[in-house]
Amino acid sequence: HLPGVAGFLLEKEIEYMGKALEGASHPFVAIIGGAKVSDKIGVIKNLFHKVDTLIIGGGMANTFLKAQGYNMGKSLVEEDKVELAKEILAKAKEGGKVEILLPQDVVVSKEFKNDSDYRVASLTDIQPEEMALDIGPESCNLFSEVIAKAKTVVWNGPMGVFEMDNFARGTEAVAEAMANSPGLTIVGGGDSVAAVEKVGVAKKMSHISTGGGASLKLLEGKTLPGVAALQDK
């Protein structure tokens, strides 16, 4: 009954998210982090056939590493999603179109505390009493190299427990790599936004989404009623 109009911010969100989802320049890299696979499975499935490289970090990477047969010690692992992670990895291998990059090394600690002792561990060297809380330096370098060559980068979710300084390096490395990327760089999700602001590179990003959960739904390929109403107009 009422005329529908978008403000400039919404217009910008739709324009940039639309570029990423429909008309992305390649190589197209998506970086997905955060704690749980279950939170991001819709995004992974929707971007699977659109991106060239899918970088997976954060707690959710532990579930994928467990699916590859690594012993993850006390790390956060979604046991009920290990099979799903196996399927996703197998599908990527079969299709050959998307490359999935997982951490090559991790920063581990025996306690979930910032002042606890920590070390860099290879994937075969995680002890039963240790938990992975960030990606390691080798992973930072690998991910940064891939980001540097990308023409479109979409990032959603941190690489580790970035609220604790000892486990923030991976997330900071991704933020810095995106800041130096010559391509289109889009950051969505509260934690990733907080990270680029913490590193002080927010101004260097093409677009920082303030849509939060709504931007995640767009990345999942879902229809947003407010956007659909505007498109109908």
Side-chain angles (χ1 to χ4, degrees):
H1 296 293
L2 292 168
V5 287
F8 295 127
L9 179 61
L10 180 58
E11 184 184 31
K12 189 172 178 233
E13 287 270 310
I14 296 166
E15 183 197 343
Y16 276 94
M17 287 295 183
K19 267 183 202 164
L21 292 170
E22 299 311 326
S25 299
H26 292 263
F28 180 7
V29 176
I31 309 153
I32 309 292
K36 293 181 175 179
V37 177
S38 47
D39 294 342
K40 303 282 167 77
I41 192 63
V43 178
I44 290 173
K45 282 182 171 167
N46 189 42
L47 293 178
F48 202 80
H49 302 291
K50 295 183 164 80
V51 300
D52 301 294
T53 308
L54 189 56
I55 293 175
I56 297 177
M60 62 186 290
N62 300 337
T63 303
F64 280 86
L65 292 170
K66 176 94 186 257
Q68 286 187 328
Y70 292 106
N71 180 0
M72 297 309 292
K74 280 200 307 182
S75 306
L76 171 73
V77 170
E78 284 180 281
E79 296 294 347
D80 62 335
K81 293 287 180 283
V82 172
E83 281 308 311
L84 178 64
K86 275 185 190 166
E87 281 169 32
I88 291 169
L89 291 167
K91 208 168 150 192
K93 267 210 175 106
E94 275 163 34
K97 281 188 179 168
V98 60
E99 180 187 22
I100 294 181
L101 282 188
L102 291 165
Q104 308 293 300
D105 57 348
V106 284
V107 179
V108 295
S109 176
K110 290 177 184 174
E111 295 177 277
F112 191 78
K113 289 199 313 211
N114 190 45
D115 54 1
S116 61
D117 290 337
Y118 62 93
R119 69 184 185 96
V120 174
S122 69
L123 299 176
T124 50
D125 181 35
I126 301 167
Q127 301 304 308
E129 70 279 7
E130 291 178 321
M131 58 184 101
L133 296 175
D134 193 13
I135 60 172
E138 203 183 309
S139 308
C140 290
N141 291 339
L142 173 69
F143 293 178
S144 297
E145 277 171 26
V146 173
I147 292 164
K149 293 176 191 149
K151 290 220 171 92
T152 308
V153 190
V154 175
W155 178 25
N156 186 291
M159 297 291 102
V161 189
F162 84 105
E163 303 86 342
M164 301 181 192
D165 287 343
N166 288 340
F167 310 112
R169 186 68 205 115
T171 305
E172 288 168 359
V174 166
E176 284 160 9
M178 283 186 71
N180 296 324
S181 165
L184 182 75
T185 49
I186 299 169
V187 182
D191 289 338
S192 312
V193 175
V196 293
E197 283 171 355
K198 185 182 173 190
V199 181
V201 293
K203 286 193 170 67
K204 291 188 172 175
M205 302 296 162
S206 307
H207 180 63
I208 293 181
S209 172
T210 54
S215 63
L216 201 59
K217 283 203 171 73
L218 260 185
L219 289 175
E220 285 176 15
K222 289 186 176 165
T223 302
L224 301 182
V227 177
L230 290 172
Q231 285 162 347
D232 289 346
K233 293 283 179 198

